[in-house]
Amino acid sequence: MPLLEIENLTVEFETRSGLFRAVDRISLTVNPREIVAIVGESGSGKSVAMLAVMGLLPKTARVTADRMTFEGRDLLKLTSSERRRIIGKDVAMIFQEPMTSLNPCFTVGFQLGESLATHLGLGRAERKRRSIELLAQVGIPEPESRLAAFPHQLSGGMSQRVMIAIAIACSPKLLIADEPTTALDVTIQAQILDLLVSLRDKTGMGLVLITHDMGVVAETSERVVVQYAGQQVEEATTRALFADPHHPYTSALLAALPERARERRLPSIPGMVPGQFDRPPGCLFAPRCDFAFEACRTTPPVRARADLGFALCHTPLVGGRPTPQNLPKGVTFAEPGKVSA
Ligand SMILES: Nc1ncnc2c1ncn2[C@@H]1O[C@H](COP(=O)(O)OP(=O)(O)OP(=O)(O)O)[C@@H](O)[C@H]1O
């Protein structure tokens, strides 16, 4: 049975300027032992989607879904005791900023112990023993002496390891890691990713990895979902996605990889700038797409099926070129970005 099943999850926020749709009908399945990456630039709704799964969105959020289940149980209809049993225990999350996610007022030992007491009901001595074991498991040297440390006494990499230790304290079946390495330097990033993959290998948990970094996707995940302006624009196995991306946005993300181009980050998403609520009537990516033609600007695209995935595009790319059978009569693309009729 899949761990997580999401069908058509939508999240809208009530804001002063009206309803803002941050997540638009996304679907996702995560199986045990599987690492699924959700990739997309800042503001594409990756974190909001996973916070909806955890039930951690503020009251201004309207969450709807045709299905959102963990091991078959409806996450939108959990009683408070079911929520306590599942969230933070069977489903755990590592948040973006370790420095702000750890409570600065409490020691590492206290914060680890709190999770062990709440979810597993362990007594004091057992909590200490298990905390030391967890810190050792995430590669913290001299774990016993770290129990008395406060977060400000730890380096960024060390704090992130503590966050991971807290998240895995109750042996979750599903771990959601939100940009777990963004704040860290490159060597530490690689160590943390290795740690997450080895924890998956040991425990068989499923892992959802949220990232804006295609390099991280390539190194860790088996399957990838590309998100743009709240919508999923492509899903594929990581191998297929890197070999032949079908959505122009995926292609642009890959072209922005450091080994392929100097320009790493794309400019912000039109229609997703805070305070700007008008979305283009057609494809949301059309204003930035090298291959957009008239229909892309006026008609929303439907999902085109690909091997084990899809692309949300009027003319999915094959080998870096739009598929000719999908183009209107007479339209050809001589070079990317140049439409000739
Ligand atoms: N509480 C909120 N109220 C209103 N809008 C929000 C709220 N939380 C997030 N948003 C908006 O929802 C959109 C998606 O945000 P989200 O944090 O999910 O993006 P992301 O893809 O995870 O990007 P990042 O990597 O920068 O976190 C953004 O435009 C953000 O401003």
Side-chain angles (χ1 to χ4, degrees):
M1 183 201 280
L3 294 170
L4 183 67
E5 284 181 282
I6 300 176
E7 274 169 37
N8 290 325
L9 167 67
T10 294
V11 181
E12 292 174 319
F13 289 105
E14 288 165 30
T15 71
R16 280 204 209 118
S17 332
L19 267 190
F20 172 62
R21 185 170 283 207
V23 174
D24 192 2
R25 290 164 295 157
I26 68 153
S27 299
L28 184 73
T29 300
V30 185
N31 294 301
R33 304 200 81 83
E34 195 177 25
I35 304 185
V36 181
I38 305 180
V39 68
E41 69 207 272
S42 194
S44 53
K46 309 179 298 292
S47 304
V48 167
M50 290 303 111
L51 289 172
V53 169
M54 299 291 288
L56 292 176
L57 287 170
K59 286 207 167 65
T60 53
R62 286 193 197 170
V63 181
T64 55
D66 290 343
R67 182 185 176 95
M68 190 157 80
T69 56
F70 175 75
E71 292 187 324
R73 271 163 300 181
D74 189 341
L75 290 169
L76 290 173
K77 292 197 186 125
L78 293 180
T79 62
S80 46
S81 74
E82 281 175 328
R83 173 161 294 285
R84 267 197 308 278
R85 265 208 320 276
I86 296 172
I87 303 297
K89 182 176 178 292
D90 287 346
V91 186
M93 185 159 174
I94 307 169
F95 297 93
Q96 265 184 32
E97 290 288 337
M99 295 304 197
T100 48
S101 301
L102 288 172
N103 190 326
C105 306
F106 296 107
T107 62
V108 167
F110 181 87
Q111 295 187 58
L112 261 169
E114 202 181 21
S115 177
L116 294 167
T118 311
H119 294 296
L120 303 181
L122 299 185
R124 205 176 158 157
E126 190 55 16
R127 285 205 300 270
K128 184 173 178 191
R129 189 196 61 73
R130 178 81 180 123
S131 297
I132 294 169
E133 200 176 88
L134 282 163
L135 292 179
Q137 199 179 347
V138 297
I140 290 189
E142 300 169 31
E144 189 161 2
S145 67
R146 302 285 174 180
L147 290 178
F150 285 90
H152 73 268
Q153 295 169 310
L154 305 174
S155 65
M158 207 68 105
S159 305
Q160 193 57 300
R161 284 173 199 270
V162 171
M163 287 296 301
I164 295 173
I166 293 172
I168 64 166
C170 304
S171 312
K173 295 175 181 171
L174 177 69
L175 181 63
I176 299 169
D178 189 354
E179 305 268 12
T181 59
T182 308
L184 307 172
D185 70 45
V186 179
T187 336
I188 312 291
Q189 272 189 25
Q191 290 173 10
I192 297 286
L193 291 174
D194 286 350
L195 171 63
L196 288 173
V197 175
S198 78
L199 285 170
R200 184 282 304 263
D201 294 343
K202 265 186 225 139
T203 66
M205 69 184 179
L207 182 61
V208 177
L209 192 64
I210 301 178
T211 180
H212 61 264
D213 190 331
M214 279 300 210
V216 168
V217 173
E219 279 157 36
T220 47
S221 69
E222 285 120 21
R223 201 150 55 79
V224 48
V225 176
V226 182
Q227 206 155 303
Y228 180 81
Q231 296 183 334
Q232 289 171 331
V233 295
E234 183 157 3
E235 176 171 356
T237 62
T238 306
R239 189 183 289 260
L241 190 100
F242 275 75
D244 195 10
H246 294 311
H247 196 283
Y249 177 59
T250 314
S251 179
L253 282 178
L254 288 171
L257 272 171
E259 62 271 24
R260 302 193 193 188
R262 266 177 293 136
E263 187 59 41
R264 196 173 166 77
R265 288 190 81 97
L266 286 161
S268 70
I269 304 173
M272 290 295 282
V273 177
Q276 184 189 324
F277 293 91
D278 293 335
R279 290 179 154 222
C283 170
L284 298 183
F285 188 60
R288 296 164 83 188
C289 183
D290 279 343
F291 302 104
F293 58 96
E294 194 46 34
C296 306
R297 283 181 269 274
T298 54
T299 318
V302 291
R303 289 181 171 192
R305 303 301 311 173
D307 283 351
L308 304 169
F310 68 86
L312 187 71
C313 184
H314 285 288
T315 61
L317 308 182
V318 173
R321 321 283 306 151
T323 34
Q325 69 272 23
N326 291 349
L327 287 170
K329 218 169 164 219
V331 175
T332 55
F333 288 88
E335 295 165 38
K338 305 270 185 318
V339 185
S340 55

